């Protein structure tokens, strides 16, 4: 799919239906929706008292934390590879 082509796909996250419009492939959008749903269910399983808004914010915080850790790991790995190339 080209950068300017947009598709519309429906995904279910936390028992609610969302329509996602974007240029990513349908398989990518489905995967993202599934991962968000899994993370929300995981957090809710350990925090049954959370309302949907708080659950969504905690899911976003957890996901961003995971993202930043991966980004740091990636930067460290690139730094290691660059050092090896310089030798």
């Amino acid at each position: 799919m080209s950068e300017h082509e947009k598709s519309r796909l429906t995904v279910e996250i936390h028992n609610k239906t969302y329509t996602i419009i974007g240029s990513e492939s349908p398989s990518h959008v489905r995967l993202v929706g599934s991962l968000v749903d899994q993370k929300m269910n995981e957090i809710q399983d350990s925090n049954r008292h959370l309302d949907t808004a708080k659950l969504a914010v905690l899911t976003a915080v957890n996901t961003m934390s995971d993202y930043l850790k991966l980004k740091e790991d990636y930067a460290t790995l690139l730094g290691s590879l660059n050092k090896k190339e310089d030798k």
Side-chain angles (χ1 to χ4, degrees):
M1 183 172 296
S2 79
E3 184 177 323
H4 300 290
E5 287 182 56
K6 301 239 185 228
S7 66
R8 179 182 300 261
L9 190 70
T10 302
V11 297
E12 189 170 311
I13 300 172
H14 200 60
N15 301 315
K16 290 187 172 56
T17 301
Y18 296 90
T19 300
I20 310 294
I21 301 170
S23 56
E24 297 295 340
S25 71
S27 61
H28 177 82
V29 174
R30 279 189 212 95
L31 177 60
V32 169
S34 175
L35 291 171
V36 170
D37 185 57
Q38 287 175 18
K39 182 60 91 173
M40 287 184 82
N41 289 331
E42 175 187 313
I43 292 170
Q44 188 178 47
D45 285 346
S46 60
N47 298 285
R48 288 275 174 204
H49 66 281
L50 294 173
D51 62 30
T52 303
K54 288 180 182 175
L55 178 60
V57 170
L58 279 177
T59 300
V61 168
N62 276 268
T63 302
M64 187 55 63
S65 175
D66 292 346
Y67 168 76
L68 289 174
K69 288 175 187 174
L70 284 171
K71 194 173 176 183
E72 290 170 7
D73 289 347
Y74 178 73
T76 300
L77 181 59
L78 279 180
S80 296
L81 288 172
N82 288 336
K83 284 180 184 176
K84 287 183 179 181
E85 287 178 358
D86 290 342
K87 287 183 179 181

